[in-house]
């Protein structure tokens, strides 16, 4: 027989109260956190600095912590009152902030909002755009960007200040102001079709950044006049340090579309705006054209209509579709079963692999410093046949003429080559955004992979047969049955 005995020991709970004050002025500190070391439980001081907390025993240790003050640990002891005086954290207050034109101040000497980031904060994630690397790292900093390869980034500090003027923060790199204005066309900026070529901040090499200081208010940026009225982002680049230093960085990025944010294509109805055909306009398919010349009218998909409110899919219906009018297609002159496409637009996108590398050599000597850097960034786009190749060279040097006079110079060379940049906004002259096509104007009977085959089929024929040169735009959205020209939308691979 096994006998078990359980003995419960109840600790004597005890309440401790007290007041927490600051050492420099003796005033109460509200919001101080009090935690019991190694146990659950805690409290906060009120507006008058007072607190009350339950402790399990006299050996319990209370931790008092507050931003800008040194954390203190105190034993509960046998008493019921425990007052604490907290000293300022000298480390936090002595943090150096760059304010303007190379001027540095301790943080406790700055009377305005300024936040500092180490260069690693914008280089460790290997993003090609320093603006996007700042996202989520600075309070009050709003970063807006689209998913366009090499596109611009809108950087606004503490909200919009003007309804009519530019609200972008001013970048200052080693004392040189750089406006981050969007240089794209007015049409592109207003939402009409265009290309997004980026803005100056996107060309800054993140690996060359020593630190960043964000000046948020008018007082902070007053030294830069009206240009700094929207706030200033001060960037200090790396300088030569004692001895020869070689820094090498590399990164790889992989992309894929998030299908959960993409339209879900219905598989019940095909091309058309509605029942507009037949003698009484009750048919969804064109039924008054004799395509094969047998004297009997055939069913034809409404090729000019870029929507999918048409005839219900029925594999027993034989319908002439866009490829029946493509002389290079194996389906030329043939009707096909009326069914939904196997490959919808989500299969159009690539899964790009991009890479970047940088190397920086620096040194210092008695009379000065020097730095040489090279950054190579190769971005592949999520659209077919799209990439950006960026090569950035920079050189910087300083020379001490006297103990109180130093001269310096920085030279940057950018070589940026773009191919197949994405169109943005809604269709403009000669600029097409495939997303407006895929999200709104599409026929669910059109197979994207068949459009790809048609484009490359003609492209390959053009290599040996001059009559096919310039005719790669084999579109699903034909203006008529004979010309082969598009009415609204090009073949997406041609775009």
């Amino acid at each position: 027989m096994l006998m078990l005995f359980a003995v419960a020991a109840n600790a004597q709970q005890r309440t401790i109260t007290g007041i927490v004050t600051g050492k420099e002025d003796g005033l109460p500190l509200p919001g101080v956190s009090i935690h019991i070391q190694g146990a659950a439980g805690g409290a906060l001081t009120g507006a008058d600095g007072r607190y009350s907390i339950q402790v399990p025993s006299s050996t319990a240790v209370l931790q008092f912590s507050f931003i800008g003050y040194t954390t203190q640990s105190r034993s509960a002891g046998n008493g019921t009152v425990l007052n604490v005086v907290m000293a300022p954290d000298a480390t936090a207050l002595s943090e150096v902030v760059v304010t303007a034109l190379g001027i540095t101040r301790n943080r406790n000497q700055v009377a305005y909002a300024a936040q500092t980031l180490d260069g690693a904060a914008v280089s460790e994630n290997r993003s090609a755009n320093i603006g996007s690397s700042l996202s989520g790292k600075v309070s009050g900093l709003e970063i807006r960007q689209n998913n366009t390869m090499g596109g611009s980034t809108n950087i606004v500090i503490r909200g919009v200040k003007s309804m009519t003027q530019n609200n972008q923060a001013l970048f200052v790199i080693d004392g040189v102001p750089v406006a981050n204005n969007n240089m794209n066309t007015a049409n592109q900026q207003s939402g009409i079709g265009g290309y997004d070529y980026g803005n100056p901040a996107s060309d800054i090499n993140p690996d060359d950044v020593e630190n960043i200081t964000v000046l948020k208010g008018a007082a902070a940026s007053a030294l830069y006049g009206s240009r700094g009225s929207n706030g200033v982002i001060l960037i200090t680049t790396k300088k030569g340090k004692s001895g020869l230093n070689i820094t090498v960085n590399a990164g790889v990025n992989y992309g894929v579309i998030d299908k959960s944010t993409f339209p879900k294509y219905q598989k019940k109805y095909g091309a058309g705006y509605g029942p507009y055909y037949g003698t009484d306009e009750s048919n969804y398919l064109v039924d008054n054209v004799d395509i094969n010349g047998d004297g009997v009218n055939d069913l034809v998909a409404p090729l000019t209509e870029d929507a999918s409110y048409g005839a219900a899919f029925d594999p027993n219906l034989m319908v002439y579709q866009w490829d029946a009018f493509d002389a290079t297609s194996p389906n030329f002159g043939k009707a096909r079963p009326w069914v939904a496409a196997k490959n919808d637009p989500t299969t159009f996108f690539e899964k790009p692999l991009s890479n970047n590398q940088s190397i920086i050599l620096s040194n210092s000597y008695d009379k000065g410093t020097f730095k040489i850097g090279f950054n190579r960034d190769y971005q592949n786009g999520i659209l077919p046949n799209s990439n950006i190749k960026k090569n950035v060279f920079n050189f910087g040097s300083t020379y001490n003429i006297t103990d109180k006079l130093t001269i310096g110079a920085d030279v940057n060379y950018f070589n940026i080559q773009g191919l197949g940049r994405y169109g943005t906004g809604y269709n403009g002259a000669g600029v097409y955004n495939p997303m407006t096509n895929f999200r709104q104007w599409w026929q669910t009977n059109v197979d994207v992979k068949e459009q790809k085959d048609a484009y490359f089929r003609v492209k390959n024929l053009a290599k040996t047969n001059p009559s096919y040169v310039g005719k790669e735009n084999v579109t699903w959205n034909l203006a008529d049955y004979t010309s082969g020209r598009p009415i609204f939308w090009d073949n997406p691979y041609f775009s």
Side-chain angles (χ1 to χ4, degrees):
M1 183 171 58
L2 177 66
M3 299 180 66
L4 300 177
F5 295 89
V7 178
N10 294 319
Q12 296 296 317
Q13 291 283 338
R14 184 162 49 91
T15 300
I16 290 182
T17 60
I19 184 171
V20 180
T21 56
K23 181 178 180 180
E24 69 278 14
D25 53 15
L27 295 176
L29 293 177
V32 177
S33 297
I34 304 105
H35 294 283
I36 302 172
Q37 200 173 68
L44 288 174
T45 58
D48 56 358
R50 296 184 181 277
Y51 72 94
S52 175
I53 189 171
Q54 292 276 336
V55 295
S57 67
S58 60
T59 58
V61 176
L62 302 182
Q63 278 193 334
F64 297 80
S65 59
F66 191 56
I67 296 175
Y69 289 80
T70 303
T71 299
Q72 291 197 30
S73 298
R74 301 286 293 273
S75 175
N78 296 316
T80 58
V81 177
L82 180 61
N83 296 324
V84 175
V85 178
M86 299 190 71
D89 186 349
T91 304
L93 292 176
S94 62
E95 182 181 347
V96 174
V97 177
V98 179
T99 58
L101 298 176
I103 302 170
T104 59
R105 293 285 184 269
N106 289 338
R107 180 171 293 281
N108 60 331
Q109 295 176 313
V110 178
Y112 44 74
Q115 189 168 345
T116 302
L117 291 175
D118 186 75
V122 294
S123 64
E124 60 189 4
N125 67 353
R126 312 308 302 157
S127 172
N129 190 328
I130 194 171
S132 60
S133 299
L134 287 171
S135 182
K137 295 183 173 68
V138 179
S139 61
L141 187 66
E142 180 184 357
I143 308 290
R144 288 189 179 183
Q145 64 185 77
N146 55 36
N147 289 327
T148 300
M149 175 186 63
S152 53
T153 302
N154 195 52
I155 301 175
V156 177
I157 299 176
R158 287 182 169 175
V160 172
K161 300 173 180 64
S162 171
M163 295 295 291
T164 59
Q165 302 299 315
N166 174 40
N167 285 279
Q168 292 262 28
L170 176 69
F171 278 75
V172 178
I173 305 172
D174 291 334
V176 180
V178 178
N180 195 38
N181 296 351
N182 190 316
M183 305 301 289
N184 300 321
T185 64
N187 277 349
Q188 191 277 336
Q189 293 184 51
S190 65
I192 303 174
Y195 293 110
D196 187 350
Y197 295 101
N199 43 6
S202 61
D203 293 334
I204 299 171
N205 179 10
D207 289 326
D208 193 32
V209 175
E210 181 70 29
N211 58 64
I212 298 173
T213 300
V214 181
L215 307 178
K216 302 177 183 180
S221 54
L223 197 61
Y224 297 100
S226 60
R227 296 183 69 185
S229 60
N230 295 323
V232 176
I233 297 178
L234 290 173
I235 295 179
T236 303
T237 61
K238 294 178 179 177
K239 303 295 188 291
K241 298 178 181 179
S242 178
L244 179 64
N245 295 275
I246 302 176
T247 304
V248 179
N249 286 305
V252 176
N253 291 298
Y254 175 73
V256 63
I257 69 164
D258 180 0
K259 289 191 178 183
S260 68
T261 68
F262 216 79
K264 292 179 174 59
Y265 294 94
Q266 52 84 16
K267 305 290 185 181
K268 293 183 178 181
Y269 305 95
Y273 296 142
Y276 301 118
Y277 304 99
T279 56
D280 59 353
E281 294 190 352
S282 62
N283 290 350
Y284 290 85
L285 296 167
V286 181
D287 61 352
N288 59 352
V289 184
D290 180 10
I291 300 296
N292 56 15
D294 62 357
V296 179
N297 287 343
D298 299 299
L299 293 176
V300 183
L303 303 175
T304 63
E305 300 179 19
D306 48 1
S308 295
Y309 298 97
F313 287 124
D314 181 352
N316 296 315
L317 289 178
M318 299 301 291
V319 180
Y320 287 89
Q321 300 180 48
W322 65 270
D323 53 354
F325 307 99
D326 171 18
T328 68
S329 171
N331 292 322
F332 178 61
K334 299 177 183 178
R336 289 196 290 148
W338 187 239
V339 294
K342 180 180 179 181
N343 298 293
D344 64 34
T346 59
T347 62
F348 173 73
F349 299 95
E350 302 289 331
K351 297 178 180 178
L353 191 67
S354 303
N355 61 85
N356 57 72
Q357 304 85 31
S358 74
I359 181 170
I360 298 176
L361 287 79
S362 63
N363 201 350
S364 66
Y365 53 99
D366 293 342
K367 285 292 186 177
T369 67
F370 76 88
K371 171 197 65 181
I372 301 173
F374 169 67
N375 175 254
R376 174 190 178 276
D377 185 51
Y378 191 99
Q379 301 176 52
N380 285 304
I382 205 164
L383 297 185
N385 197 39
S386 60
N387 60 70
I388 290 180
K389 299 176 183 177
K390 182 186 297 186
N391 292 291
V392 180
F393 298 87
N394 57 68
F395 171 78
S397 181
T398 62
Y399 183 75
N400 304 323
I401 297 177
T402 69
D403 291 342
K404 297 183 178 180
L405 180 62
T406 299
I407 61 171
D410 287 282
V411 179
N412 292 279
Y413 172 76
F414 300 89
N415 183 284
I416 302 168
Q417 301 176 29
L419 175 68
R421 288 181 185 265
Y422 314 159
T424 65
Y426 194 70
N427 279 13
V431 180
Y432 293 94
N433 178 356
M435 292 309 299
T436 59
N437 184 184
F438 294 154
R439 283 190 176 272
Q440 185 173 5
W441 310 108
W442 187 252
Q443 294 180 357
T444 53
N445 52 290
V446 175
D447 191 303
V448 168
K449 295 300 183 185
E450 290 178 358
Q451 282 279 282
K452 179 180 181 179
D453 293 341
Y455 170 77
F456 284 104
R457 189 165 54 238
V458 177
K459 191 176 181 69
N460 291 330
L461 285 170
K463 294 177 182 178
T464 56
N465 191 331
S467 64
Y468 286 102
V469 174
K471 297 181 179 180
E472 297 94 340
N473 191 11
V474 184
T475 180
W476 55 273
N477 193 207
L478 291 166
D480 55 62
Y481 307 125
T482 58
S483 69
R485 64 182 179 84
I487 185 171
F488 300 124
W489 297 100
D490 293 334
N491 181 315
Y493 286 88
F494 177 83
S495 299

